[in-house]
Amino acid sequence: MILKVEQAGDAILRQTARTLTQSEINSKQVQEFIDYMVETLRDYTGVGLAAPQVGSNVRIIVVEDKDDYLKDIPANVLAVQKRRPVALKIIINPVITDSSNDDVLFFEGCLSIDGFRAIVPRATSVTVTGLDRYGNTVSYDADGWFARIIQHEVDHLNCALYVDTMLSKTFMTDTNFKKHWAKSTSSKLSEYIEESR
Ligand code: ZN
């Protein structure tokens, strides 16, 4: 089942999500909900989704960055973004336990802020721990684009949206992003970032 994706202004996106118990994780209801989250993420060709975005105020994120999504992005862009395919990950009650001190700046979007992008500073690498859908402990050392996705999705559980931390002068429509910046790794982008700080 494809779930409706809540948009900025829907109250749930500004409510802190709650932790799930082991018995809740094992329940048919939560297991089905996880399946629906994955179906919805794929239907929207997104790379990450948090439960509040689809109307449930609980701490579940799903992440997947498919080969297929990378094929039209120039290799040099993928290289600077450190973007590589990420197999499906379901992380329940995720906690970022470690985070690098450096910031890296790239454009990102959000399924809940449909049609826009902005440059958002994110740590280059993070360690995230949580539970998989069976309740087993999982831990991932994420870097590059994977780390960005994790930070974005965990923010959703803490009722934060990228517009809270973006370089606001870089906020733009998807159309303009694609027209001006989608294929840019140049010094032009660095200059733009410096001007926008
Ligand atoms: Zn989002």
Side-chain angles (χ1 to χ4, degrees), residues 90-159:
I90 292 150
I91 314 175
I92 300 167
N93 304 335
V95 177
I96 292 176
T97 55
D98 196 19
S99 187
S100 59
N101 289 325
D102 54 338
D103 265 1
V104 61
L105 295 147
F106 287 110
F107 278 98
E108 66 183 62
C110 177
L111 295 177
S112 296
I113 306 171
D114 189 31
F116 296 93
R117 308 265 180 141
I119 290 175
V120 184
R122 299 283 186 191
T124 309
S125 60
V126 296
T127 301
V128 61
T129 60
L131 302 172
D132 68 12
R133 67 181 302 166
Y134 308 107
N136 301 312
T137 301
V138 288
S139 180
Y140 300 103
D141 293 319
D143 79 333
W145 211 252
F146 182 26
R148 176 169 292 268
I149 301 167
I150 293 285
Q151 291 166 81
H152 180 118
E153 301 313 327
V154 171
D155 272 358
H156 274 300
L157 304 182
N158 298 324
C159 60

